[in-house]
Amino acid sequence: MPRVSVLVTCYNHIRYVGECLDSIYAQDYTDFEVIALDDGSQDGTREFLQSDTRPKTLVFNETNLGTYGTLNAGLERATGEFIAIMNDDDRWGPEKLRKQVALMDAHAKVGLVHTNGRFIDGAGKVTEGSPLGFEFPRTETGDVLLALAYANKIIASAALVRRQCFEELGGFNTAYFGSGDWEMWIRISEKYEVGYIDEFLTDYRVHGENASHKLERIWRDDETLRSWLAPRMESYKHRFSQDALNHAIAHNWACLGTVKTLNGKAAEGRAAYAESLRINPSRWQSRLRYLATFLPTSLFRRLL
């Protein structure tokens, strides 16, 4: 039985899936299985996966399940002690799995290990700066729960997770379009430490088909996640100072105010901004955005 199960989520990326698989089979750690999960590709990806002779389990969804339903289908078939996630348009450095497994073996309290990485373009060239509006996500090793309350700090293709985490916490929430991994990382970090390898071992490809470009669906996801997170944060009091927790809670309410307004719910957005300011009155930007909620939604979006 392999120690690592690599779940490769595939959907209409025939241009990139070969390079993705090449980077998996080029790992200098070889105790893994590959489970290629296709979610209804119509561009030749399925035919490519069938013709590729390297050892793998193929799972072809009969209906489109979305990213997180597809990952859950992979979890049902995985046999490894650790679960690695790989999007079919990304790629790994050859040392990635070996260094992640070593960190897991050395730190029993760590439930997830992720790596630093780079953004690459459609041609595979490294893209400098922040092509998606943020730097490549990273954390320290340890308790990163509050850091994840601010933003998603973990790229899915950079993550290796103990199978035990999914057995305890359940699978991914299929109600999400693109933020189900973020919710999963929060659930894991509530009970486990998170490990981090500060090396460029994951390449995240940025191109016109990325789910992260579909802003309106992401805004709806963010509203769902921020609404889910708000009441949970009260239970974090035993782990963090009141000041640090208040800043994180106020930030979450402010973000909720923004996405509710972006989603056309200006009154609810104002209420969320007001709660943020009640907790942390020094958030001057929230005051300005509170006032901006009285503007038409289209103008509010342009002001951000």
CSV table of all heavy atoms in Angstrom, one decimal, residues 249-300:
chain,number,residue,atom,x,y,z
A,249,ILE,N,-11.4,38.8,14.0
A,249,ILE,CA,-12.9,38.8,13.9
A,249,ILE,C,-13.4,40.0,13.1
A,249,ILE,O,-14.3,40.0,12.3
A,249,ILE,CB,-13.5,38.7,15.3
A,249,ILE,CG1,-13.3,37.3,15.9
A,249,ILE,CG2,-15.0,38.9,15.2
A,249,ILE,CD1,-13.7,37.2,17.3
A,250,ALA,N,-12.8,41.2,13.5
A,250,ALA,CA,-13.2,42.4,12.8
A,250,ALA,C,-12.9,42.4,11.3
A,250,ALA,O,-13.7,42.8,10.5
A,250,ALA,CB,-12.5,43.6,13.5
A,251,HIS,N,-11.8,41.8,11.0
A,251,HIS,CA,-11.4,41.6,9.6
A,251,HIS,C,-12.4,40.7,8.9
A,251,HIS,O,-12.8,41.1,7.7
A,251,HIS,CB,-10.0,41.0,9.5
A,251,HIS,CG,-9.6,40.7,8.1
A,251,HIS,ND1,-9.0,41.6,7.2
A,251,HIS,CD2,-9.6,39.5,7.4
A,251,HIS,CE1,-8.8,41.0,6.1
A,251,HIS,NE2,-9.1,39.8,6.1
A,252,ASN,N,-12.8,39.6,9.5
A,252,ASN,CA,-13.7,38.7,8.9
A,252,ASN,C,-15.1,39.4,8.6
A,252,ASN,O,-15.7,39.3,7.5
A,252,ASN,CB,-14.0,37.5,9.7
A,252,ASN,CG,-14.8,36.4,9.0
A,252,ASN,OD1,-14.4,35.9,8.0
A,252,ASN,ND2,-16.0,36.2,9.6
A,253,TRP,N,-15.6,40.2,9.6
A,253,TRP,CA,-16.8,40.9,9.4
A,253,TRP,C,-16.7,42.0,8.3
A,253,TRP,O,-17.6,42.2,7.5
A,253,TRP,CB,-17.3,41.6,10.7
A,253,TRP,CG,-18.0,40.7,11.6
A,253,TRP,CD1,-17.5,40.2,12.8
A,253,TRP,CD2,-19.3,40.1,11.5
A,253,TRP,NE1,-18.4,39.3,13.4
A,253,TRP,CE2,-19.5,39.3,12.6
A,253,TRP,CE3,-20.3,40.3,10.5
A,253,TRP,CZ2,-20.7,38.6,12.7
A,253,TRP,CZ3,-21.5,39.6,10.6
A,253,TRP,CH2,-21.7,38.8,11.7
A,254,ALA,N,-15.5,42.6,8.2
A,254,ALA,CA,-15.3,43.6,7.2
A,254,ALA,C,-15.3,43.0,5.8
A,254,ALA,O,-15.9,43.5,4.8
A,254,ALA,CB,-14.0,44.4,7.4
A,255,CYS,N,-14.7,41.8,5.7
A,255,CYS,CA,-14.7,41.1,4.4
A,255,CYS,C,-16.1,40.6,4.1
A,255,CYS,O,-16.5,40.7,2.9
A,255,CYS,CB,-13.7,39.9,4.5
A,255,CYS,SG,-12.0,40.3,4.6
A,256,LEU,N,-16.8,40.2,5.1
A,256,LEU,CA,-18.2,39.8,4.8
A,256,LEU,C,-19.0,41.0,4.3
A,256,LEU,O,-19.9,40.9,3.4
A,256,LEU,CB,-18.8,39.2,6.1
A,256,LEU,CG,-20.2,38.6,6.0
A,256,LEU,CD1,-20.2,37.5,4.9
A,256,LEU,CD2,-20.6,38.0,7.3
A,257,GLY,N,-18.8,42.2,4.9
A,257,GLY,CA,-19.4,43.4,4.4
A,257,GLY,C,-19.2,43.7,3.0
A,257,GLY,O,-20.1,44.0,2.2
A,258,THR,N,-17.9,43.5,2.6
A,258,THR,CA,-17.5,43.7,1.2
A,258,THR,C,-18.2,42.7,0.2
A,258,THR,O,-18.8,43.2,-0.8
A,258,THR,CB,-16.0,43.6,1.0
A,258,THR,OG1,-15.4,44.6,1.9
A,258,THR,CG2,-15.6,43.8,-0.4
A,259,VAL,N,-18.1,41.4,0.5
A,259,VAL,CA,-18.7,40.5,-0.4
A,259,VAL,C,-20.2,40.5,-0.4
A,259,VAL,O,-20.8,40.3,-1.5
A,259,VAL,CB,-18.1,39.1,-0.2
A,259,VAL,CG1,-16.7,39.0,-0.5
A,259,VAL,CG2,-18.4,38.6,1.2
A,260,LYS,N,-20.8,40.8,0.7
A,260,LYS,CA,-22.3,40.9,0.7
A,260,LYS,C,-22.7,42.1,-0.2
A,260,LYS,O,-23.7,42.0,-1.0
A,260,LYS,CB,-22.8,41.1,2.1
A,260,LYS,CG,-23.0,39.8,2.9
A,260,LYS,CD,-23.6,40.1,4.2
A,260,LYS,CE,-23.9,38.8,5.0
A,260,LYS,NZ,-25.0,38.0,4.3
A,261,THR,N,-22.0,43.2,-0.1
A,261,THR,CA,-22.3,44.4,-1.0
A,261,THR,C,-22.0,44.0,-2.5
A,261,THR,O,-22.8,44.4,-3.3
A,261,THR,CB,-21.5,45.6,-0.5
A,261,THR,OG1,-21.7,45.8,0.9
A,261,THR,CG2,-21.9,46.8,-1.3
A,262,LEU,N,-20.9,43.4,-2.7
A,262,LEU,CA,-20.6,43.0,-4.1
A,262,LEU,C,-21.6,42.1,-4.7
A,262,LEU,O,-21.9,42.1,-5.9
A,262,LEU,CB,-19.2,42.3,-4.1
A,262,LEU,CG,-18.0,43.1,-3.9
A,262,LEU,CD1,-16.7,42.3,-3.8
A,262,LEU,CD2,-17.8,44.1,-5.1
A,263,ASN,N,-22.3,41.3,-3.8
A,263,ASN,CA,-23.3,40.3,-4.2
A,263,ASN,C,-24.7,41.0,-4.2
A,263,ASN,O,-25.7,40.3,-4.3
A,263,ASN,CB,-23.3,39.1,-3.3
A,263,ASN,CG,-22.1,38.2,-3.5
A,263,ASN,OD1,-21.5,38.2,-4.6
A,263,ASN,ND2,-21.7,37.5,-2.5
A,264,GLY,N,-24.7,42.3,-4.1
A,264,GLY,CA,-26.0,43.0,-4.2
A,264,GLY,C,-26.8,43.1,-3.0
A,264,GLY,O,-28.0,43.4,-3.0
A,265,LYS,N,-26.2,42.9,-1.8
A,265,LYS,CA,-26.9,42.9,-0.5
A,265,LYS,C,-26.4,44.0,0.3
A,265,LYS,O,-25.7,43.8,1.4
A,265,LYS,CB,-26.7,41.5,0.2
A,265,LYS,CG,-27.2,40.3,-0.6
A,265,LYS,CD,-26.8,39.0,0.1
A,265,LYS,CE,-27.2,37.8,-0.8
A,265,LYS,NZ,-26.8,36.6,-0.1
A,266,ALA,N,-26.6,45.2,-0.1
A,266,ALA,CA,-26.0,46.4,0.5
A,266,ALA,C,-26.4,46.6,2.0
A,266,ALA,O,-25.5,46.9,2.8
A,266,ALA,CB,-26.3,47.7,-0.3
A,267,ALA,N,-27.6,46.3,2.3
A,267,ALA,CA,-28.1,46.5,3.7
A,267,ALA,C,-27.3,45.5,4.6
A,267,ALA,O,-26.9,45.9,5.7
A,267,ALA,CB,-29.6,46.3,3.8
A,268,GLU,N,-27.2,44.3,4.2
A,268,GLU,CA,-26.5,43.3,4.9
A,268,GLU,C,-25.0,43.6,5.0
A,268,GLU,O,-24.4,43.3,6.0
A,268,GLU,CB,-26.7,41.9,4.3
A,268,GLU,CG,-28.1,41.4,4.4
A,268,GLU,CD,-28.3,40.0,3.8
A,268,GLU,OE1,-27.3,39.2,3.8
A,268,GLU,OE2,-29.4,39.7,3.4
A,269,GLY,N,-24.5,44.2,3.9
A,269,GLY,CA,-23.1,44.6,3.9
A,269,GLY,C,-22.9,45.7,5.0
A,269,GLY,O,-21.9,45.6,5.7
A,270,ARG,N,-23.8,46.6,5.0
A,270,ARG,CA,-23.6,47.7,6.1
A,270,ARG,C,-23.6,47.1,7.5
A,270,ARG,O,-22.9,47.5,8.3
A,270,ARG,CB,-24.7,48.7,5.9
A,270,ARG,CG,-24.5,49.7,4.8
A,270,ARG,CD,-25.4,50.9,4.9
A,270,ARG,NE,-26.8,50.5,4.6
A,270,ARG,CZ,-27.3,50.4,3.4
A,270,ARG,NH1,-26.5,50.6,2.3
A,270,ARG,NH2,-28.5,50.1,3.2
A,271,ALA,N,-24.5,46.2,7.7
A,271,ALA,CA,-24.6,45.6,9.0
A,271,ALA,C,-23.3,44.8,9.4
A,271,ALA,O,-22.9,44.9,10.5
A,271,ALA,CB,-25.8,44.6,9.1
A,272,ALA,N,-22.7,44.2,8.4
A,272,ALA,CA,-21.5,43.5,8.6
A,272,ALA,C,-20.3,44.5,8.9
A,272,ALA,O,-19.5,44.3,9.8
A,272,ALA,CB,-21.1,42.6,7.5
A,273,TYR,N,-20.3,45.6,8.1
A,273,TYR,CA,-19.3,46.6,8.4
A,273,TYR,C,-19.5,47.2,9.8
A,273,TYR,O,-18.5,47.5,10.5
A,273,TYR,CB,-19.4,47.7,7.4
A,273,TYR,CG,-18.7,47.4,6.1
A,273,TYR,CD1,-19.4,47.6,4.9
A,273,TYR,CD2,-17.4,46.9,6.0
A,273,TYR,CE1,-18.8,47.3,3.6
A,273,TYR,CE2,-16.8,46.7,4.8
A,273,TYR,CZ,-17.5,46.9,3.6
A,273,TYR,OH,-16.9,46.6,2.4
A,274,ALA,N,-20.7,47.4,10.2
A,274,ALA,CA,-21.0,48.0,11.5
A,274,ALA,C,-20.5,47.1,12.6
A,274,ALA,O,-19.9,47.5,13.6
A,274,ALA,CB,-22.5,48.2,11.7
A,275,GLU,N,-20.7,45.7,12.4
A,275,GLU,CA,-20.2,44.8,13.4
A,275,GLU,C,-18.7,44.8,13.5
A,275,GLU,O,-18.1,44.7,14.6
A,275,GLU,CB,-20.7,43.4,13.1
A,275,GLU,CG,-20.3,42.3,14.1
A,275,GLU,CD,-20.8,42.5,15.5
A,275,GLU,OE1,-21.7,43.3,15.7
A,275,GLU,OE2,-20.3,41.8,16.4
A,276,SER,N,-18.0,44.9,12.3
A,276,SER,CA,-16.6,45.0,12.3
A,276,SER,C,-16.1,46.3,13.1
A,276,SER,O,-15.1,46.2,13.9
A,276,SER,CB,-16.1,45.1,10.8
A,276,SER,OG,-14.7,45.4,10.8
A,277,LEU,N,-16.8,47.4,12.9
A,277,LEU,CA,-16.4,48.6,13.6
A,277,LEU,C,-16.7,48.6,15.1
A,277,LEU,O,-16.0,49.2,15.9
A,277,LEU,CB,-17.1,49.8,12.9
A,277,LEU,CG,-16.5,50.1,11.5
A,277,LEU,CD1,-17.5,51.1,10.8
A,277,LEU,CD2,-15.1,50.7,11.6
A,278,ARG,N,-17.7,47.9,15.4
A,278,ARG,CA,-18.0,47.7,16.9
A,278,ARG,C,-16.9,47.0,17.6
A,278,ARG,O,-16.5,47.3,18.7
A,278,ARG,CB,-19.3,46.9,17.0
A,278,ARG,CG,-19.8,46.8,18.5
A,278,ARG,CD,-20.9,45.8,18.6
A,278,ARG,NE,-20.6,44.5,18.3
A,278,ARG,CZ,-19.9,43.7,19.2
A,278,ARG,NH1,-19.6,44.1,20.4
A,278,ARG,NH2,-19.6,42.4,18.9
A,279,ILE,N,-16.3,46.0,16.9
A,279,ILE,CA,-15.3,45.2,17.5
A,279,ILE,C,-13.9,45.9,17.4
A,279,ILE,O,-13.2,45.9,18.4
A,279,ILE,CB,-15.2,43.8,16.8
A,279,ILE,CG1,-16.5,43.0,17.0
A,279,ILE,CG2,-14.0,43.0,17.3
A,279,ILE,CD1,-16.6,41.8,16.1
A,280,ASN,N,-13.7,46.6,16.3
A,280,ASN,CA,-12.4,47.4,16.2
A,280,ASN,C,-12.7,48.7,15.5
A,280,ASN,O,-12.7,48.8,14.3
A,280,ASN,CB,-11.5,46.5,15.3
A,280,ASN,CG,-10.1,47.2,15.1
A,280,ASN,OD1,-9.9,48.3,15.7
A,280,ASN,ND2,-9.2,46.6,14.3
A,281,PRO,N,-13.0,49.7,16.3
A,281,PRO,CA,-13.4,51.0,15.8
A,281,PRO,C,-12.3,51.7,15.0
A,281,PRO,O,-12.6,52.7,14.3
A,281,PRO,CB,-13.7,51.8,17.1
A,281,PRO,CG,-14.0,50.8,18.1
A,281,PRO,CD,-13.1,49.7,17.8
A,282,SER,N,-11.1,51.2,15.0
A,282,SER,CA,-10.0,51.9,14.3
A,282,SER,C,-9.9,51.6,12.9
A,282,SER,O,-9.0,52.1,12.2
A,282,SER,CB,-8.7,51.6,15.0
A,282,SER,OG,-8.4,50.2,14.9
A,283,ARG,N,-10.8,50.7,12.4
A,283,ARG,CA,-10.7,50.3,11.0
A,283,ARG,C,-11.3,51.4,10.1
A,283,ARG,O,-12.5,51.4,9.7
A,283,ARG,CB,-11.5,49.0,10.8
A,283,ARG,CG,-10.8,47.8,11.4
A,283,ARG,CD,-11.6,46.5,11.1
A,283,ARG,NE,-11.6,46.2,9.7
A,283,ARG,CZ,-10.7,45.5,9.0
A,283,ARG,NH1,-9.7,44.9,9.7
A,283,ARG,NH2,-10.8,45.3,7.7
A,284,TRP,N,-10.5,52.4,9.7
A,284,TRP,CA,-11.0,53.5,9.0
A,284,TRP,C,-11.5,53.1,7.6
A,284,TRP,O,-12.4,53.7,7.0
A,284,TRP,CB,-9.9,54.6,8.8
A,284,TRP,CG,-8.6,54.1,8.1
A,284,TRP,CD1,-7.5,53.5,8.7
A,284,TRP,CD2,-8.4,54.1,6.7
A,284,TRP,NE1,-6.6,53.2,7.7
A,284,TRP,CE2,-7.1,53.5,6.5
A,284,TRP,CE3,-9.2,54.6,5.6
A,284,TRP,CZ2,-6.6,53.4,5.2
A,284,TRP,CZ3,-8.6,54.4,4.3
A,284,TRP,CH2,-7.4,53.9,4.1
A,285,GLN,N,-10.8,52.1,7.0
A,285,GLN,CA,-11.3,51.7,5.7
A,285,GLN,C,-12.7,51.1,5.7
A,285,GLN,O,-13.5,51.3,4.8
A,285,GLN,CB,-10.3,50.6,5.1
A,285,GLN,CG,-10.5,50.3,3.6
A,285,GLN,CD,-9.4,49.4,3.1
A,285,GLN,OE1,-9.2,48.3,3.6
A,285,GLN,NE2,-8.7,49.8,2.0
A,286,SER,N,-13.0,50.4,6.8
A,286,SER,CA,-14.4,49.9,6.9
A,286,SER,C,-15.4,51.0,7.0
A,286,SER,O,-16.5,50.9,6.6
A,286,SER,CB,-14.5,49.0,8.2
A,286,SER,OG,-13.7,47.8,8.0
A,287,ARG,N,-15.0,52.2,7.7
A,287,ARG,CA,-15.9,53.3,7.7
A,287,ARG,C,-16.2,53.9,6.3
A,287,ARG,O,-17.3,54.2,6.0
A,287,ARG,CB,-15.3,54.4,8.6
A,287,ARG,CG,-15.1,54.0,10.1
A,287,ARG,CD,-14.5,55.2,10.9
A,287,ARG,NE,-14.4,54.7,12.3
A,287,ARG,CZ,-15.3,54.7,13.2
A,287,ARG,NH1,-16.5,55.2,12.9
A,287,ARG,NH2,-15.1,54.3,14.4
A,288,LEU,N,-15.1,53.9,5.5
A,288,LEU,CA,-15.3,54.4,4.1
A,288,LEU,C,-16.2,53.5,3.3
A,288,LEU,O,-17.1,53.9,2.6
A,288,LEU,CB,-13.9,54.6,3.5
A,288,LEU,CG,-13.0,55.7,4.1
A,288,LEU,CD1,-11.7,55.7,3.4
A,288,LEU,CD2,-13.7,57.1,4.0
A,289,ARG,N,-15.9,52.2,3.5
A,289,ARG,CA,-16.7,51.2,2.7
A,289,ARG,C,-18.1,51.1,3.2
A,289,ARG,O,-19.1,50.9,2.4
A,289,ARG,CB,-16.0,49.9,2.7
A,289,ARG,CG,-14.7,49.9,1.9
A,289,ARG,CD,-14.1,48.5,1.8
A,289,ARG,NE,-12.9,48.6,0.9
A,289,ARG,CZ,-12.1,47.6,0.7
A,289,ARG,NH1,-12.3,46.4,1.4
A,289,ARG,NH2,-11.1,47.7,-0.1
A,290,TYR,N,-18.3,51.3,4.5
A,290,TYR,CA,-19.7,51.4,5.0
A,290,TYR,C,-20.5,52.5,4.3
A,290,TYR,O,-21.6,52.3,3.8
A,290,TYR,CB,-19.7,51.7,6.5
A,290,TYR,CG,-21.0,51.9,7.1
A,290,TYR,CD1,-21.7,50.8,7.7
A,290,TYR,CD2,-21.7,53.1,7.1
A,290,TYR,CE1,-23.0,51.0,8.3
A,290,TYR,CE2,-22.9,53.3,7.7
A,290,TYR,CZ,-23.6,52.2,8.3
A,290,TYR,OH,-24.8,52.4,8.8
A,291,LEU,N,-19.9,53.7,4.1
A,291,LEU,CA,-20.5,54.8,3.4
A,291,LEU,C,-20.7,54.4,1.9
A,291,LEU,O,-21.7,54.8,1.3
A,291,LEU,CB,-19.7,56.0,3.5
A,291,LEU,CG,-19.6,56.6,5.0
A,291,LEU,CD1,-18.6,57.8,5.0
A,291,LEU,CD2,-20.9,57.0,5.5
A,292,ALA,N,-19.7,53.7,1.4
A,292,ALA,CA,-19.8,53.3,-0.1
A,292,ALA,C,-20.9,52.4,-0.4
A,292,ALA,O,-21.4,52.3,-1.5
A,292,ALA,CB,-18.5,52.8,-0.5
A,293,THR,N,-21.4,51.7,0.7
A,293,THR,CA,-22.5,50.7,0.4
A,293,THR,C,-23.8,51.4,0.0
A,293,THR,O,-24.7,50.8,-0.5
A,293,THR,CB,-22.8,49.9,1.7
A,293,THR,OG1,-23.2,50.7,2.7
A,293,THR,CG2,-21.6,49.0,2.1
A,294,PHE,N,-23.9,52.7,0.2
A,294,PHE,CA,-25.1,53.5,-0.2
A,294,PHE,C,-25.0,53.8,-1.7
A,294,PHE,O,-26.0,54.3,-2.3
A,294,PHE,CB,-25.2,54.8,0.6
A,294,PHE,CG,-25.6,54.5,2.0
A,294,PHE,CD1,-24.6,54.5,3.0
A,294,PHE,CD2,-26.9,54.3,2.4
A,294,PHE,CE1,-25.0,54.3,4.3
A,294,PHE,CE2,-27.3,54.1,3.7
A,294,PHE,CZ,-26.3,54.1,4.7
A,295,LEU,N,-23.9,53.5,-2.4
A,295,LEU,CA,-23.8,53.8,-3.8
A,295,LEU,C,-24.3,52.6,-4.6
A,295,LEU,O,-24.5,51.5,-4.0
A,295,LEU,CB,-22.3,54.0,-4.1
A,295,LEU,CG,-21.6,55.1,-3.5
A,295,LEU,CD1,-20.1,55.1,-3.8
A,295,LEU,CD2,-22.2,56.5,-4.0
A,296,PRO,N,-24.6,52.7,-5.8
A,296,PRO,CA,-25.0,51.6,-6.7
A,296,PRO,C,-23.9,50.5,-6.6
A,296,PRO,O,-22.7,50.8,-6.5
A,296,PRO,CB,-25.1,52.1,-8.1
A,296,PRO,CG,-25.4,53.6,-7.8
A,296,PRO,CD,-24.6,54.0,-6.6
A,297,THR,N,-24.3,49.2,-6.6
A,297,THR,CA,-23.4,48.1,-6.5
A,297,THR,C,-22.3,48.2,-7.6
A,297,THR,O,-21.1,47.9,-7.3
A,297,THR,CB,-24.1,46.8,-6.7
A,297,THR,OG1,-25.1,46.7,-5.7
A,297,THR,CG2,-23.1,45.6,-6.5
A,298,SER,N,-22.6,48.6,-8.8
A,298,SER,CA,-21.6,48.7,-9.9
A,298,SER,C,-20.5,49.7,-9.6
A,298,SER,O,-19.4,49.5,-9.8
A,298,SER,CB,-22.3,49.1,-11.2
A,298,SER,OG,-23.0,50.3,-11.1
A,299,LEU,N,-20.9,50.8,-8.9
A,299,LEU,CA,-19.9,51.8,-8.5
A,299,LEU,C,-19.1,51.3,-7.3
A,299,LEU,O,-17.9,51.6,-7.3
A,299,LEU,CB,-20.6,53.1,-8.2
A,299,LEU,CG,-19.7,54.3,-7.9
A,299,LEU,CD1,-18.7,54.6,-8.9
A,299,LEU,CD2,-20.6,55.6,-7.6
A,300,PHE,N,-19.7,50.7,-6.4
A,300,PHE,CA,-19.0,50.1,-5.3
A,300,PHE,C,-17.9,49.1,-5.8
A,300,PHE,O,-16.8,49.2,-5.3
A,300,PHE,CB,-20.0,49.3,-4.4
A,300,PHE,CG,-19.4,48.7,-3.2
A,300,PHE,CD1,-19.2,49.4,-2.0
A,300,PHE,CD2,-18.9,47.4,-3.2
A,300,PHE,CE1,-18.6,48.8,-0.8
A,300,PHE,CE2,-18.3,46.8,-2.1
A,300,PHE,CZ,-18.2,47.5,-0.9
